[in-house]
């Protein structure tokens, strides 16, 4: 099962690095990976008791509270703040991470990549980035920033910003307005409870949205206008229903560890590129699903483990990995995989997990080997 996680991670890394084609971009990235004192974020999948798949964790934010220091003195456009490092070979990068900072230093106008992570910054004053209009990458994760102490138009002049990291802070709402140029938005491990439908309005270039480990109980149709969105991570929240209006561009949807009990009919069909759906550790029942909820030909991996399912839902013959462990399933229904079983009609399923259910090992129907001829792992 680990190969699936490896493929996903490789695809994400490839997609992220593929957006940097200039030599300068690659150079600063390589330099930072060698020199940084702590990683920007840690996406390492692991299994809890072998099972809950694909649990991601960031480095924890400091527990200590801090107040912002005095206003930093203004500097010339080419001067590097004394609190930071500006490598001469990479003049567009400024490293201010892990320095016990309580305020934002002055950012010279030439900077494209700025790192303030792992500090004690609690507030960001209005106009803090007005001089640095060339910023493309802004790392503010692992601080103590609160929504109430952020300038209302803090990012208004950052017309080229592509990546914003604010995970592991004290945010109670999604920062707004955000630059339309954003491609990645990292807001995991905060205290956000609600995402209004207009919170992400205008972010048509956004490809990855990370909102896991918050307290979100309502998303509305906030994803609907994200025309370029590929990955949405909404895991570890308080959602009771799925977000409305998935984008047609979506490929990866992570909703594990919520309280979702129903999914509308044809919910996934609006996203014809959807490959990976993870909904483990929710409250799904067969009564809350229509007959063909998961019968989408694009989905390759479906994780429904640790729900309240009593029957195997019908899935597409194109599905390759299905995780149903930890449910209440009591029968092995071959019709869930193959509507017709013969030499020409069979499932492409490779991994099927049904362990931790109520199925007996001798309950496998005799035509299962013909329908599931591609399967290499079947656990009951």
């Amino acid at each position: 099962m680990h190969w699936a996680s490896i493929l996903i991670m490789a695809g994400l890394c490839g997609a992220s690095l593929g957006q940097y084609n200039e030599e300068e971009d690659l150079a600063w990235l390589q330099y930072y990976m060698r020199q940084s004192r702590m990683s920007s974020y840690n996406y390492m999948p692991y299994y809890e008791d072998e099972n809950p798949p694909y649990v991601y964790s960031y480095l924890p934010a400091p527990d200590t509270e801090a107040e912002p220091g005095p206003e930093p003195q203004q500097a010339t456009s080419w001067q590097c703040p004394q609190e930071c490092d500006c490598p001469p070979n990479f003049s567009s990068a400024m490293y201010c991470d892990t320095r016990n900072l309580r305020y934002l230093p002055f950012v010279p106008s030439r900077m494209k990549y700025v790192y303030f992570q792992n500090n004690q910054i609690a507030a960001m004053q209005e106009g803090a980035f007005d001089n640095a209009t060339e910023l493309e990458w802004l790392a503010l994760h692992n601080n103590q920033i609160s929504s109430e102490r952020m300038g209302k138009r803090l990012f208004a002049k950052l017309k080229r910003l592509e990546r914003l990291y604010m995970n592991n802070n004290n945010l109670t709402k999604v920062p707004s307005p955000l630059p339309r140029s954003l491609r990645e938005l990292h807001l995991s491990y905060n205290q956000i409870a609600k995402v209004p439908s207009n919170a992400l309005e205008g972010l048509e270039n956004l490809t990855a949205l990370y909102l896991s480990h918050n307290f979100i109980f309502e998303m509305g149709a906030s994803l609907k206008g994200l025309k370029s969105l590929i990955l949405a991570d909404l895991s570890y929240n308080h959602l009771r229903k799925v977000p409305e209006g998935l984008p047609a561009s979506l490929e990866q949807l992570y909703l594990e560890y919520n309280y979702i009990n129903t999914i509308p009919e044809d919910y996934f069909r609006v996203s014809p590129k959807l490959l990976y759906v993870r909904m483990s550790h929710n409250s799904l029942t067969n009564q809350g699903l229509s007959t063909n909820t998961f019968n989408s030909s694009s989905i390759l991996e479906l994780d429904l483990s640790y729900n309240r399912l009593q029957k195997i839902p019908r899935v597409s013959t194109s599905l390759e990995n299905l995780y149903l462990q930890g449910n209440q399933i009591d029968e092995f229904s071959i019709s869930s995989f193959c509507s017709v079983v013969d030499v020409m009609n069979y499932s492409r399923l490779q991994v099927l997990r049904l362990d931790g259910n109520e199925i007996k090992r001798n309950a496998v129907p005799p035509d299962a080997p013909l329908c599931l001829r591609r399967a290499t792992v079947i656990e009951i």
Side-chain angles (χ1 to χ4, degrees):
M1 186 170 342
H2 296 305
W3 64 268
S5 301
I6 294 171
L7 287 177
I8 296 168
M9 290 298 301
L12 288 177
C13 294
S16 181
L17 291 177
Q19 298 178 22
Y20 292 91
N21 298 320
E22 298 180 4
E23 293 183 1
E24 182 187 38
D25 292 338
L26 289 174
W28 76 257
L29 179 58
Q30 293 168 357
Y31 175 87
Y32 181 61
M33 292 180 71
R34 293 195 303 268
Q35 299 295 329
S36 61
R37 295 170 175 80
M38 297 182 72
S39 61
S40 296
Y41 55 96
N42 179 24
Y43 257 23
M44 294 296 292
Y46 64 90
Y47 282 87
E48 176 186 82
D49 295 335
E50 180 199 1
N51 297 335
Y54 321 109
V55 180
Y56 298 109
S57 61
Y58 290 94
L59 293 173
D63 292 329
T64 57
E65 296 184 358
E67 294 294 327
E71 292 287 332
Q73 295 182 350
Q74 295 294 306
T76 62
S77 61
W78 286 92
Q79 183 177 346
C80 184
Q82 63 180 359
E83 304 93 335
C84 309
D85 290 332
C86 304
N89 294 335
F90 308 102
S91 60
S92 61
M94 186 172 84
Y95 302 98
C96 312
D97 53 304
T98 322
R99 298 168 195 240
N100 205 33
L101 295 179
R102 296 171 182 264
Y103 61 91
L104 288 174
F106 174 79
V107 182
S109 60
R110 72 182 187 276
M111 295 304 170
K112 293 183 179 180
Y113 316 105
V114 178
Y115 300 90
F116 294 114
Q117 72 268 25
N118 307 319
N119 282 295
Q120 298 182 39
I121 299 168
M124 296 192 293
Q125 65 274 19
E126 192 80 29
F129 303 112
D130 284 3
N131 184 64
T133 56
E134 301 297 310
L135 278 181
E136 297 179 11
W137 190 301
L138 179 56
L140 292 160
H141 49 288
N142 295 338
N143 277 286
Q144 300 172 14
I145 301 167
S146 64
S147 298
E148 295 73 20
R149 304 188 68 181
M150 288 178 58
K152 292 183 179 180
R153 296 186 58 80
L154 185 66
F155 307 116
K157 295 188 177 181
L158 303 183
K159 305 298 185 182
R160 299 187 179 184
L161 190 66
E162 294 186 354
R163 284 165 176 77
L164 177 60
Y165 296 86
M166 295 194 71
N167 36 292
N168 269 319
N169 276 285
N170 298 323
L171 299 177
T172 54
K173 59 183 179 180
V174 176
S176 181
L178 291 167
R180 292 175 177 266
S181 54
L182 269 187
R183 294 183 179 275
E184 288 187 14
L185 179 58
H186 297 253
L187 296 173
S188 297
Y189 286 95
N190 277 285
Q191 301 169 24
I192 300 170
K194 184 178 180 180
V195 183
S197 294
N198 62 348
L200 304 170
E201 190 175 8
L203 301 184
E204 296 185 359
N205 294 308
L206 196 69
T207 60
L209 174 64
Y210 299 90
L211 279 167
S212 69
H213 293 86
N214 276 281
F215 302 99
I216 300 171
F217 67 90
E218 183 177 343
M219 285 290 296
S222 55
L223 302 181
K224 191 173 184 179
L226 305 180
K227 297 181 179 180
S228 301
L229 193 66
I230 294 175
L231 183 153
D233 187 354
L234 304 171
S235 58
Y236 290 87
N237 276 290
H238 294 173
L239 292 172
R240 295 190 176 276
K241 59 181 181 179
V242 290
E244 299 173 18
L246 296 181
S249 58
L250 196 65
E251 296 180 9
Q252 302 175 48
L253 178 62
Y254 304 148
L255 289 166
E256 61 263 45
Y257 286 91
N258 277 283
Y259 300 95
I260 299 168
N261 54 24
T262 60
I263 302 176
E265 189 173 1
D266 297 331
Y267 177 71
F268 297 108
R269 292 185 182 275
V270 298
S271 300
K273 298 180 180 180
L274 194 60
L275 300 174
Y276 308 102
V277 177
R278 297 176 185 164
M279 299 191 68
S280 67
H281 295 270
N282 275 278
S283 302
L284 291 173
T285 65
N286 290 97
Q287 291 71 30
L289 306 175
S290 67
T291 305
N292 290 306
T293 298
F294 299 110
N295 191 12
S296 173
S297 60
S298 67
I299 299 177
L300 297 181
E301 180 176 292
L302 177 61
D303 187 353
L304 300 174
S305 58
Y306 300 97
N307 278 279
R308 300 175 184 174
L309 299 173
Q310 294 179 317
K311 296 182 179 181
I312 301 173
R314 186 175 181 182
V315 296
S316 168
T317 55
S318 301
L319 189 68
E320 294 182 358
N321 299 282
L322 177 59
Y323 304 103
L324 289 166
Q325 67 269 26
N327 278 279
Q328 302 168 14
I329 300 170
D330 58 5
E331 65 173 314
F332 194 120
S333 53
I334 203 65
S335 60
S336 297
F337 309 102
C338 300
S339 56
V340 177
V341 181
D342 56 32
V343 176
M344 300 301 295
N345 295 280
Y346 58 92
S347 170
R348 274 70 177 173
L349 203 66
Q350 298 176 16
V351 176
L352 172 61
R353 289 196 59 176
L354 286 164
D355 45 307
N357 281 281
E358 299 175 16
I359 301 176
K360 294 181 172 55
R361 290 183 176 273
N362 59 5
V364 179
D367 51 353
L370 187 59
C371 170
L372 302 175
R373 69 186 70 172
R374 291 278 188 90
T376 57
V377 176
I378 297 178
E379 295 189 19
I380 299 177

